[in-house]
Amino acid sequence: MARKAANDDPLTPLTLAVGQEDLLLDRAVQQVVAAARAADADTDVRDLAPDQLQPGTLAELTSPSLFAERKVVVVRNSQDLSADSVKDVKKYLGSPAEEITLVLLHAGGAKGKGLLDAARKAGAREVACAKMTKPADRLAFVRGEFRTAGRSATPEACQALVDAIGSDLRELASACSQLVADIEGTIDDAIVARYYRGRAEASSFTVADRAVEGRAAEALEALRWAMSTGVAPVMINSALAQGVRAIGKLASAPRGARPGDLARELGMPPWKIDRVRQQMRGWSADGVATALRAVAEADAGVKGGGDDPEYALEKAVVTIARAARSR
């Protein structure tokens, strides 16, 4: 989720939202607008693209009003502002107007870094809106959505939702909202499966689960479905790699250890420890080694080393499924 600076007053004169995650950027703007309208229902909101902030426009928008009205001025993609407009913004930062909140949305890269540095130097309230590229971050996001809504969802349900929906934060947020609106009580993985069965069955992690369980036919069916619905081959192979590595990690862990202790040691949630324990029953050390080699070969195949990524994944799935029966 978006991280905020120590100064968390949305009505501070300057808010800087940095990153490229559109949902988080929009939420940063919405939070400021909501706070401003709570303070003054007649707040005037101006939401501008870079080409709409011409030289002199900011001075016009922030000039004193006879009615002393509150304003929120939002500038999107501020890294794309012209040099003259950047000068105007930097000048304004030195003496911000009362009753006006300026919100700058910035991608956070090298482009427009001078404006980014100037805003930070001026003491901007900063909200980090970076892309969530790690599954763990998206899982934390889903947990946060349910927590914010005051609802309880099991760890398995949160993971199932991420597996089913994928990396699109807007779709994840929408799915959480739908479940909260429709379901009473605790949301579990059976409920998620009922709502998102088709997508869940096409997920990369379903392919991996069936493969490491030795269920080759089901894994291949899930793989073809996933490919037909647009799941990226590299994501599928990443899930296969995670599944095999989890088997290897747990196999080498001390026997008799409690799930909570193993979870901390191996970096897995306790519920996943239980799932992997069930999946690893037919595995041997040689099987894990064979499966890891298959994943490495598939990785090369889906990243340009082969002509047919789907064939590379099919071969890996079959090899992994056989390895799961190697004991």
Side-chain angles (χ1 to χ4, degrees):
M1 298 181 67
R3 301 187 308 276
K4 298 161 190 169
N7 175 14
D8 198 25
D9 179 6
L11 295 183
T12 195
L14 176 62
T15 286
L16 180 63
V18 184
Q20 299 180 48
E21 187 59 72
D22 290 339
L23 174 66
L24 301 184
L25 291 167
D26 285 345
R27 285 186 173 182
V29 172
Q30 291 163 7
Q31 184 187 32
V32 173
V33 171
R37 286 184 169 155
D40 181 355
D42 295 324
T43 294
D44 181 23
V45 178
R46 304 296 180 90
D47 198 324
L48 307 173
D51 60 353
Q52 293 176 299
L53 194 70
Q54 298 296 323
T57 302
L58 184 61
E60 180 182 339
L61 291 174
T62 57
S63 60
S65 168
L66 292 175
F67 304 102
E69 65 181 353
R70 181 177 292 277
K71 286 184 180 179
V72 175
V73 179
V74 180
V75 181
R76 297 184 181 270
N77 296 310
S78 62
Q79 72 278 357
D80 295 331
L81 288 172
S82 68
D84 288 338
S85 294
V86 168
K87 289 179 183 178
D88 285 354
V89 175
K90 287 181 176 180
K91 180 179 179 182
Y92 174 80
L93 295 179
S95 182
E98 294 184 10
E99 301 299 312
I100 292 177
T101 299
L102 176 63
V103 183
L104 297 177
L105 276 56
H106 194 290
K111 186 178 182 181
K113 190 174 183 299
L115 178 59
L116 191 63
D117 292 342
R120 286 170 170 161
K121 187 175 181 180
R125 165 183 173 264
E126 186 168 341
V127 183
C129 304
K131 283 282 188 183
M132 293 189 181
T133 58
K134 297 179 180 178
D137 291 338
R138 293 191 288 273
L139 186 59
F141 172 81
V142 167
R143 290 197 195 105
E145 292 292 288
F146 287 125
R147 187 165 51 247
T148 299
R151 297 297 301 279
S152 175
T154 66
E156 295 88 347
C158 294
Q159 184 65 61
L161 197 59
V162 172
D163 291 350
I165 301 299
S167 60
D168 190 309
L169 245 57
R170 289 191 189 278
E171 290 195 28
L172 282 170
S174 177
C176 291
S177 296
Q178 181 179 9
L179 290 169
V180 166
D182 291 355
I183 303 300
E184 295 182 2
T186 299
I187 297 164
D188 61 22
D189 56 337
I191 291 170
V192 173
R194 188 167 73 245
Y195 269 70
Y196 300 99
R197 184 174 302 279
R199 298 187 67 164
E201 288 174 351
S203 76
S204 55
F205 288 99
T206 299
V207 178
D209 284 341
R210 299 297 84 81
V212 299
E213 290 163 4
R215 296 153 66 180
E218 293 176 44
L220 288 171
E221 182 182 0
L223 171 62
R224 288 160 190 154
W225 195 347
M227 295 289 288
S228 70
T229 56
V231 180
V234 69
M235 295 296 294
I236 298 172
N237 199 59
S238 175
L240 289 171
Q242 290 181 49
V244 174
R245 287 177 189 137
I247 297 288
K249 284 182 179 180
L250 195 55
S252 61
R255 294 187 179 277
R258 293 177 300 177
D261 295 334
L262 285 173
R264 286 188 292 274
E265 182 178 344
L266 302 180
M268 300 180 193
W271 65 264
K272 189 170 183 180
I273 296 291
D274 293 334
R275 177 189 288 180
V276 175
R277 272 179 170 163
Q278 295 175 353
Q279 293 174 333
M280 64 182 287
R281 289 172 181 166
W283 284 85
S284 66
D286 288 342
V288 172
T290 298
L292 287 173
R293 285 195 296 271
V295 166
E297 291 173 4
D299 188 62
V302 301
K303 291 181 178 177
D307 297 328
D308 190 343
E310 185 170 355
Y311 172 73
L313 289 171
E314 287 179 353
K315 183 179 178 182
V317 163
V318 170
T319 302
I320 292 168
R322 286 176 179 167
R325 304 298 186 192
S326 58
R327 178 177 290 178

